[in-house]
Amino acid sequence: MYEADDPRSALSSASANAGPASHGAFGQSTYARYYAEEPQESADRAKSWYTRGQNFVVCYSEVEDGAVFERKGQVDEYVLLIHDPNLSATVEAGGESKEVSGYSITMIPPGDSKVTMHGSGVVVRLITTANEDIAGKVSNPDKYPGDHPHVPAFEAWPMPADGYRIRSYSLDVPDEEGRFGKIFRCTTFMVNVFPEQGARDLSKLSPHHHDDFEQCSLALRGWYMHHLRWPWTANLHDWQEDEHEKCAAPSVCVIPPRVIHTSAPSDPQANVLVDIFSPPREDFSDMQGWVLNADDYPRK
């Protein structure tokens, strides 16, 4: 369903057949509009919203200078995304301390860690649902009464040969023809940060589906129309109406597996979207040159 000039048309999964669907739920979508919702947590110098998928929690925070985020006994590696170039942080973990600049993505080791923010703005942390304290804060627990019927049990990817440590990468990477966004991965997440763009040509949308993983789309700027079409099975009770949801920034859309979807950036001036997957996608990892930090994190 991709246009011929869309880099994703070359993916091994682009024309995959999902096969027969089992009777029962396909799961539910989530639309979290942080601009219209109260934060789940208001602490000194930070307001935070928490939204989950099957394997992950998006922790979106508006911070003031000096805000601190500490993790005690973090189960696995997590991600710190600072899209704002005017914000920075000091990250302490695994016996080391590192100054992290704005417009960057940082992988933080499991165990105890501390992030101290410098400046006021927005910071995003991505943490797996294996961390029960974080999973317990989410606004949408009702969407996950049990394991998703089409998402395999979470399995982390191999750790780097030199072990866990603080690894930070600039997002200031030039666009390259044939590469899809700016993709980074670690053992628990794959994150694709799209360049700022204007409104999308509505004659060139890209409806597609994923057989066995969710997609989380985090809007950081502008507004998006998320279009979702649910599969039909022989069981009429599985059928659902199409969804066409307008979400301004900041917001999150979580799309279940097997649901046909496409998202249209719609502000005429500036739209910024971040796609989040947990664990990393194998098809994106198969594409030579797409994962910008592939040398640091072994392929599953």
Side-chain angles (χ1 to χ4, degrees), residues 21-36:
S22 61
H23 294 318
F26 286 94
Q28 304 176 63
S29 57
T30 288
Y31 303 96
R33 298 171 172 87
Y34 300 148
Y35 55 89

Side-chain angles (χ1 to χ4, degrees), residues 220-287:
L220 292 177
R221 193 172 301 161
W223 64 275
Y224 287 78
M225 283 297 299
H226 298 293
H227 304 283
L228 278 63
R229 172 160 287 182
W230 299 80
W232 283 10
T233 71
N235 185 347
L236 182 65
H237 298 96
D238 289 340
W239 298 11
Q240 298 189 48
E241 295 291 333
D242 290 354
E243 297 179 4
H244 306 281
E245 294 280 340
K246 178 180 179 179
C247 293
S251 62
V252 157
C253 172
V254 182
I255 303 162
R258 306 193 179 192
V259 173
I260 298 172
H261 60 276
T262 188
S263 296
S266 300
D267 186 283
Q269 299 299 321
N271 303 277
V272 173
L273 194 72
V274 178
D275 278 348
I276 298 158
F277 308 94
S278 180
R281 289 179 62 161
E282 295 189 33
D283 56 351
F284 278 10
S285 295
D286 287 338
M287 301 299 288

